[in-house]
Amino acid sequence: MLYYALVFFIIALIAGVLGFGGIAGASAGIAQILFFLFLAFLVLSLFAHLLRGR
């Protein structure tokens, strides 16, 4: 998921440089959503790991 967030971020950067504002904004929004989903799943995974123990 983090990979896709980075891909959309790079697409947003390239589209922004080339002047495609709509595509850049959409790609940046998707990248932001995917990044925060990744963070949420990371926190949930770490929390589940701590609760499960050894």
Side-chain angles (χ1 to χ4, degrees):
M1 190 175 304
L2 186 59
Y3 171 76
Y4 291 121
L6 290 174
V7 168
F8 279 107
F9 178 69
I10 291 170
I11 290 171
L13 287 176
I14 293 171
V17 167
L18 295 176
F20 300 110
I23 295 172
S27 295
I30 292 171
Q32 185 178 13
I33 290 169
L34 289 175
F35 179 73
F36 285 122
L37 280 175
F38 168 76
L39 285 180
F41 286 138
L42 176 69
V43 169
L44 288 174
S45 176
L46 291 175
F47 187 67
H49 180 72
L50 289 175
L51 286 179
R52 185 173 37 161
R54 291 183 177 221

